[in-house]
Amino acid sequence: MSANRVEVLCPGMIVRDGPAVLEARSTVTLVSRGDRRLLVDTSAPENRKMLTEALRSRGLAPSDIEMVVLTHAHGDHQGNLDLFPQAKVVAHRAEGGELDLEGEVIIWEGVRLVSTPGHTPGSISVLVEADETYAIAGDAIPTEDNARKWVPPGHHYDRRKAMGSMEMLTEAADVVVPGHGPAFRTAPYKERGRRGE
């Protein structure tokens, strides 16, 4: 069996005017192992063409995706879900899905779902053991700025839980794929939460 691979198909972005979000499109990440493939989030409808072209450039059709993991139920993360009618959709029960995630759920070897509440009650993230350990964080960590400034997502329902989720992901992974920005290395940010920064 070949090893797990992590590829960003559509980079996420966010445009703010102070606290107001003017535009947001989530990152879409492909996780594959041999002929098994899952997507984490599907981005906003504005990224539909970019997403289909990213799949096509890899010789893939939407029907080649066996599972879509929704980190949470906001429209900028599930805006292209209709492209994948054959895929199993996995989301937390609190986000309208069927998953009741207490600990973690193993999808296949080296790929597991973890609960990362804070942004929303049912936010989940995906940890992948590949050439390095990746945390595909959704909006548990929207951008590297959140780690750099050690602040929770701008929109959150529970600051303490949000910071706990950020700390867990940062500690667990070598690389974070955030919900709305480029991937970044976690080394500069490890242990910040424990130091109370």
Side-chain angles (χ1 to χ4, degrees), residues 10-15 21 23-27 43 47 76 143 179-181:
C10 298
M13 55 82 78
I14 190 162
V15 179
V21 174
E23 186 180 5
R25 303 178 191 181
S26 82
T27 304
S43 199
N47 272 1
D76 59 318
T143 68
H180 292 279

Side-chain angles (χ1 to χ4, degrees), residues 178-197:
H180 292 279
F184 64 89
R185 304 198 67 76
T186 58
Y189 312 116
K190 288 188 188 289
E191 298 185 9
R192 291 185 65 169
R194 280 185 269 153
R195 293 201 308 259
E197 291 183 13

Side-chain angles (χ1 to χ4, degrees), residues 11 38 45 47-48 53-54 73 77 86 105 109 116 118-120 122 141 149 154-155 158 170 183 193-194:
L38 69 82
N47 272 1
R48 193 177 192 90
E53 287 179 356
H77 290 256
Q86 294 157 307
V105 173
E109 186 184 342
T116 48
H119 176 61
T120 66
I141 305 179
K149 296 174 180 174
H155 294 279
D158 185 315
T170 303
R194 280 185 269 153

Side-chain angles (χ1 to χ4, degrees), residues 113-177:
L113 306 180
V114 293
S115 177
T116 48
H119 176 61
T120 66
S123 286
I124 58 177
S125 300
V126 183
L127 288 172
V128 182
E129 302 294 335
D131 53 327
E132 299 183 279
T133 303
Y134 291 81
I136 306 169
D139 286 356
I141 305 179
T143 68
E144 185 175 3
D145 238 24
N146 293 91
R148 187 180 293 118
K149 296 174 180 174
W150 208 248
V151 295
H155 294 279
H156 59 273
Y157 82 99
D158 185 315
R159 188 180 202 284
R160 185 184 61 78
K161 286 183 177 176
M163 297 307 294
S165 293
M166 259 180 49
E167 181 179 348
M168 184 273 286
L169 291 172
T170 303
E171 288 292 316
D174 303 304
V175 177
V176 166
V177 180

